[in-house]
Amino acid sequence: MPLLSTLIAGASVLVIGDSHLSKPDYLIKSLHDELSRQGALVHSLSACGAVPSDWLGSVKMVCGAERIGNGPVTLVLQNASTRPVKPLIAADKAKLVVVVMGDTIANYKKEFAKAWAWQQVTSLSKEIVSSGATCIWVGPPWGSEGGQYGKTYARVQQLSNFLAANVAPCIYIDSLKLGQPGGWITVDGQHLNPAGYQAWGSAIAKAIAELPAPNKP
């Protein structure tokens, strides 16, 4: 069976996500660059604090970033917002959509709202796949415990298990399997330092390249 890497080369890839893609030395650099090296034309977009359903429309956010191809990262503050994913896919003629999202639906300091999270995840995954694009959903990394967002290893494991069971028809990449608890240093418990984002982005791109290519009707 051919690997997904054979389909990425020469294809348009759309990457959407939350604040993990929001700064020039975050995934919008490392993951974007690694996918580009695989031969993809990559368009990355982030919206800080966005939950999955926000990408079904245009929702104002406190910050965001965008990068197209080999161009620089454009940071957006006052006018930051999500964009409807289906028109984005159509405009880019994207064959693959990579969603990097999970921390924003974890409610780390509160009880995990499973019914709400299920609605969030399934609404976006079905919207993406209905466009004809292949969808990959990347879960959050371990981070570290005790930061300002209240992230704990137990909750992020619970969240990752939930995403693995519910992101279909997207393909799930479990970032917890790509690293060790505390292995990638964070600046606030949730966001990584530049070295951490480089390691995470490289690991995601490698995992994507090694996935079996999906069967298309």
Side-chain angles (χ1 to χ4, degrees):
M1 178 178 291
L3 297 180
L4 190 59
S5 56
T6 62
L7 299 183
I8 292 176
S12 178
V13 176
L14 174 66
V15 182
I16 61 172
D18 51 30
S19 57
H20 285 302
L21 291 128
S22 66
K23 293 185 179 180
D25 53 4
Y26 281 18
L27 290 182
I28 204 166
K29 176 180 179 1
S30 59
L31 177 58
H32 188 109
D33 285 348
E34 292 294 336
L35 292 174
S36 297
R37 289 190 189 102
Q38 293 179 19
L41 176 60
V42 188
H43 180 192
S44 295
L45 278 168
S46 73
C48 302
V51 296
S53 67
D54 291 335
W55 290 96
L56 302 181
S58 297
V59 181
K60 188 171 177 58
M61 295 291 159
V62 295
C63 65
E66 182 173 14
R67 186 179 178 197
I68 300 174
N70 295 322
V73 177
T74 301
L75 299 179
V76 187
L77 294 176
Q78 290 87 352
N79 297 316
S81 71
T82 58
R83 299 185 210 167
V85 69
K86 215 163 188 177
L88 279 171
I89 294 169
D92 288 350
K93 295 182 174 59
K95 300 297 184 184
L96 174 66
V97 178
V98 180
V99 179
V100 183
M101 215 174 309
D103 279 328
T104 55
I105 63 172
N107 291 320
Y108 287 118
K109 294 183 179 181
K110 302 177 182 178
E111 184 178 351
F112 183 47
K114 288 185 179 179
W116 173 82
W118 179 86
Q119 185 276 329
Q120 289 290 317
V121 169
T122 56
S123 63
L124 180 58
S125 62
K126 290 177 180 177
E127 181 81 350
I128 292 169
V129 173
S130 71
S131 72
T134 296
C135 172
I136 293 175
W137 197 300
V138 180
W142 288 105
S144 58
E145 295 188 308
Q148 71 183 82
Y149 298 99
K151 191 168 186 174
T152 64
Y153 295 150
R155 174 56 69 83
V156 76
Q157 181 69 74
Q158 179 188 16
L159 172 68
S160 190
N161 292 343
F162 172 84
L163 291 173
N166 290 285
V167 298
C170 294
I171 303 163
Y172 187 59
I173 290 181
D174 185 353
S175 293
L176 303 187
K177 295 180 179 179
L178 304 180
Q180 300 295 324
W184 297 332
I185 296 173
T186 72
V187 296
D188 56 14
Q190 185 164 294
H191 300 93
L192 310 179
N193 68 7
Y197 277 116
Q198 183 59 53
W200 186 24
S202 296
I204 294 169
K206 183 174 185 292
I208 289 174
E210 294 174 351
L211 287 171
N215 293 321
K216 292 291 184 180

